[in-house]
Amino acid sequence: MDIAIIVGLDVVSGIASLVLISAGLAVIFGMMKIINLAHGEFLMLGAYATVLSVSAGVNIWFAMLVIAPVFVGLVGMIVERCLIQFLYGRLVDSMLATWGLSLVIVGGTTMIFGNTIVGVSSPLGGFQVGAYQSSLYTPFLALMALLLMTAVFGVMRFTRAGLIARAVMQNPDMAATLGVNPARVYMATFGLGAAMSGLAGGLLAPIAGVVPTMGAAFIAKAFITVVGGGTSILWGLISASGLFGFINQIAAFLTTPVFGEVILFIAAIILIRLLPTGISGRFFKGRL
Amino acid sequence: MHLLNGMRGALIGAAIAAVAILTAPLYIDLFQIMQLTVFAAMAVLALSLGFIWGYGGILCFGQTSFFGLGAYAYAVAAINFGDSTPAIALAILVPVIFATLLGYFMIYGGISDVYLGVITLTVSLILFNLVNSTAGDFYKIGEARLGGFNGIPGVPTFNLPGDPSYILTPEQAWMVTGMALILVYLGLRVLIASSFGRIIVAIRENETRAALLGYDPRIYKLITFMIGGAIAGLAGALYVNWGAFVSPTIFALGLSAQIIIWVIIGGRGTLIGPVIGCLLLQWLVTEIGAQQAMDANFVLGAILIVFVLLVPKGIAPTLRDLAMSRLSRDTAPAPTADATAKVKT
């Protein structure tokens, strides 16, 4: 029974971390149809912002919930203005440019902070399940994932900004004829997606080794989740995270974490063969 | 025979290059020969992506997957057989099988370019993690221990086919690698000039139109992808032969990015471009490594961004276009020549 609870917790935390690490990528992909290959580096910048703020004496909650997303969000806006905006309509080139950006950020961070692991300690204690010990940080991550999804849903569904965003998502040309400037929407989207990645990076800082190359450890899962989910931001993300998080954690429990990732990938590629536009392209077409 | 007529320039160039490669050990010292050997092995890898991306229009971000699988297949087979000839065959065969499976799911799934790029990239990331985790005695294939993060040291290098006791000297290995590069280049030139080559270019230009003309784009793309996998696998074997060592870093993101950068700066839609891009960049990375003032990733990333924004076609096509416009200006009718003369005065 205890082991079932622990595995259940693992599944929940696996799903939650997939939602968190993929959310920023999903927002940018859903709106602009480009995959931001510097996504892993946005996570890394969020983690660094958190670690550096904490070591400068800032409260850890403030650092990871406010400083990390705001900082990375600003970076995202600057990137959009200086790089992405010249490449609209050239999907492949924009992916290549973000890949170049990813290398520049990794290289730059390595030059400034060196290739060593820094970190902060996990702020919450643990709790006991029978003979097993688990960290309170896991349910906290799940709660954050839930809050993030609720916030995305609320903004998209009930605000004017969300209405404009949904209109641009469905048909940018039509939205433009109605007086919306898609370029500005894209800039805001890119900033927002970056901020969400920064938040995820901040939240991961206490449980991951923070190094300039840490992004590479997360992007494989994030890419699979977003590609498997398709272009619908909310339902695609939730359904793909749910499916892949479940498969990944069960497979990791039965074998090793690395084989869990391999099995997750095989599941994803079979899914892509059956549903080339992702889960949301088939079941949640035209929804958020 | 008309096929060869169109390639006279390429054949002459290849002959000159072959003579240069065979005589190089006479006037270049051993250290530089070794350096050139790895450059040539990487140039073969550049050709594989230059072919499938530049001609087949397949946006593969994870060409290192096939390169690394070829390298590991060669290492494992060479250790087990003690003979490099079947190992080289396996280094080509294993990536081809993998490319067939992966390509089938992606190409027959009908996914878009963006998805294909992301999935191939993800494959290389996962292979990196997978091979990285194979430390310990449990993970061995026959005699060969995979060694996880530490890789496989002491891989037997190339020997004379049929005589495992005759190991090639570094100079001979250089000649083999250099000649392999030339043969792959010429082979691809012939392939591109053939009807298969024309069809894959037609598919790259307009998939629907090619399909309406009766060519199934999926099977042509799959075969292109498999050829790319085979060449990358061969490059992997050449690479392992150079260093007698293979480790999981061969699958790492940095190398995937470098291959893309070689092709981008060299130019898509040419074969010589990726080779030039590869040689330039390898030389540059070696220089940066020696200077230690800048991080190599930083410079590579900046180069990629600059080329995507400012020279999206790459060096070789841009130079060709410049030469073409110069040429056509020279042979232009008189009034135009007058007009340019007026502008000049």
Side-chain angles (χ1 to χ4, degrees):
Chain A
M1 190 58 216
D2 295 343
I3 191 96
I5 292 175
I6 288 294
V7 173
L9 267 177
D10 270 357
V11 169
V12 169
S13 108
I15 294 173
S17 64
L18 274 188
V19 167
L20 286 173
I21 61 175
S22 316
L25 193 67
V27 166
I28 293 172
F29 179 61
M31 293 287 297
M32 301 159 73
K33 307 290 178 292
I34 63 169
I35 294 274
N36 170 24
L37 288 178
H39 177 67
E41 281 57 47
F42 284 180
L43 291 173
M44 181 268 285
L45 286 179
Y48 262 94
T50 305
V51 170
L52 292 175
S53 309
V54 168
S55 59
V58 179
N59 179 289
I60 182 163
W61 299 107
F62 186 73
M64 65 187 178
L65 298 178
V66 179
I67 293 180
V70 168
F71 169 67
V72 181
L74 286 175
V75 171
M77 303 262 263
I78 294 169
V79 165
E80 199 277 343
R81 279 296 94 185
C82 299
L83 192 60
I84 313 292
Q85 67 151 328
F86 302 113
L87 299 169
Y88 286 137
R90 289 159 62 188
L91 285 188
V92 171
D93 284 346
S94 55
M95 285 171 74
L96 292 169
T98 52
W99 199 347
L101 177 72
S102 126
L103 293 172
V104 166
I105 297 177
V106 170
T109 318
T110 311
M111 282 197 283
I112 298 170
F113 298 109
N115 204 2
T116 49
I117 298 183
V118 292
V120 286
S121 53
S122 176
L124 294 168
F127 65 98
Q128 200 80 18
V129 182
Y132 302 96
Q133 176 83 18
S134 187
S135 165
L136 268 177
Y137 203 70
T138 310
F140 168 70
L141 281 184
L143 181 72
M144 289 309 299
L146 200 64
L147 280 178
L148 188 64
M149 287 296 94
T150 317
V152 169
F153 178 75
V155 169
M156 288 297 232
R157 185 74 186 74
F158 299 114
T159 66
R160 186 175 161 75
L163 183 70
I164 291 173
R166 278 184 291 152
V168 173
M169 218 171 115
Q170 275 186 10
N171 192 334
D173 296 334
M174 189 65 80
T177 55
L178 292 173
V180 174
N181 184 354
R184 281 186 58 189
V185 177
Y186 287 150
M187 182 179 81
T189 308
F190 205 84
L192 185 70
M196 288 163 86
S197 311
L199 175 69
L203 290 169
L204 287 168
I207 51 172
V210 180
V211 270
T213 51
M214 72 181 277
F218 300 105
I219 51 172
K221 281 184 186 174
F223 286 162
I224 292 175
T225 309
V226 170
V227 169
T231 51
S232 148
I233 293 174
L234 201 67
W235 292 111
L237 181 59
I238 291 173
S239 55
S241 299
L243 180 67
F244 293 153
F246 181 76
I247 293 174
N248 185 19
Q249 291 300 325
I250 296 295
F253 175 71
L254 296 175
T255 58
T256 66
V258 173
F259 280 103
E261 206 168 288
V262 174
I263 292 167
L264 162 66
F265 174 75
I266 294 171
I269 197 126
I270 293 172
L271 180 91
I272 285 292
R273 174 69 183 88
L274 300 174
L275 310 171
T277 48
I279 301 174
S280 66
R282 178 80 171 73
F283 296 111
F284 304 103
K285 217 173 164 73
R287 312 246 315 250
L288 260 180
Chain B
M1 214 47 223
H2 77 101
L3 202 68
L4 292 180
N5 278 339
M7 292 180 46
R8 200 182 297 136
L11 281 174
I12 294 170
I16 294 170
V19 171
I21 285 166
L22 294 177
T23 55
L26 298 177
Y27 45 84
I28 297 179
D29 65 47
L30 186 60
F31 175 76
Q32 278 168 326
I33 287 286
M34 295 289 282
Q35 195 87 311
L36 287 174
T37 310
V38 70
F39 283 13
M42 291 303 192
V44 175
L45 179 59
L47 277 177
S48 78
L49 185 68
F51 174 63
I52 66 167
W53 191 13
Y55 290 89
I58 300 171
L59 182 66
C60 179
F61 281 176
Q63 201 66 10
T64 44
S65 310
F66 310 113
F67 180 65
L69 279 176
Y72 265 92
Y74 173 81
V76 168
I79 289 173
N80 278 310
F81 299 144
D83 181 357
S84 68
T85 317
I88 295 173
L90 274 174
I92 296 174
L93 192 63
V94 171
V96 167
I97 293 171
F98 187 70
T100 313
L101 286 173
L102 183 66
Y104 167 75
F105 278 103
M106 293 190 307
I107 294 165
Y108 279 73
I111 60 176
S112 67
D113 272 1
V114 174
Y115 278 18
L116 204 143
V118 171
I119 288 181
T120 46
L121 184 63
T122 313
V123 170
S124 69
L125 286 165
I126 287 178
L127 279 172
F128 174 72
N129 287 343
L130 182 66
V131 180
N132 230 343
S133 74
T134 57
D137 290 330
F138 177 71
Y139 296 101
K140 57 181 193 180
I141 303 173
E143 299 284 302
R145 294 179 51 177
L146 293 181
F149 186 73
N150 294 317
I152 308 177
V155 180
T157 52
F158 288 177
N159 55 256
L160 211 63
D163 182 9
S165 62
Y166 186 91
I167 308 282
L168 299 189
T169 63
E171 284 89 353
Q172 288 165 331
W174 149 248
M175 292 177 194
V176 169
T177 311
M179 294 312 282
L181 174 61
I182 291 181
L183 288 178
V184 168
Y185 175 80
L186 288 178
L188 286 177
R189 283 294 296 257
V190 170
L191 191 64
I192 288 162
S194 72
S195 59
F196 177 84
R198 285 163 196 280
I199 293 165
I200 63 167
V201 169
I203 292 169
R204 178 195 70 189
E205 291 301 317
N206 190 330
E207 200 164 324
T208 314
R209 186 167 54 197
L212 289 172
L213 289 171
Y215 303 105
D216 183 353
R218 295 175 300 181
I219 187 71
Y220 282 97
K221 278 183 141 178
L222 184 58
I223 293 173
T224 309
F225 196 61
M226 287 160 63
I227 294 171
I231 298 170
L234 173 68
L238 295 170
Y239 176 77
V240 177
N241 174 57
W242 165 73
F245 169 70
V246 58
S247 79
T249 48
I250 202 167
F251 291 110
L253 210 52
L255 185 59
S256 307
Q258 276 195 46
I259 308 171
I260 297 279
I261 297 171
W262 299 337
V263 177
I264 290 272
I265 72 168
R268 280 163 280 178
T270 67
L271 285 179
I272 198 71
V275 174
I276 294 171
C278 170
L279 298 180
L280 270 179
L281 259 284
Q282 295 246 63
W283 171 79
L284 183 71
V285 168
T286 317
E287 287 295 306
I288 295 170
Q291 305 276 339
Q292 295 201 329
M294 288 267 249
D295 188 277
N297 278 330
F298 186 83
V299 178
L300 287 174
I303 291 175
L304 180 53
I305 293 175
V306 167
F307 267 83
V308 168
L309 286 177
L310 302 178
V311 202
K313 275 197 243 168
I315 294 174
T318 305
L319 286 180
R320 189 181 55 196
D321 291 353
L322 271 179
M324 285 296 189
S325 64
R326 178 67 52 88
L327 220 65
S328 60
R329 197 184 303 160
D330 287 350
T331 54
T336 325
D338 281 346
T340 44
K342 267 178 204 157
V343 171
K344 269 178 194 162
T345 53

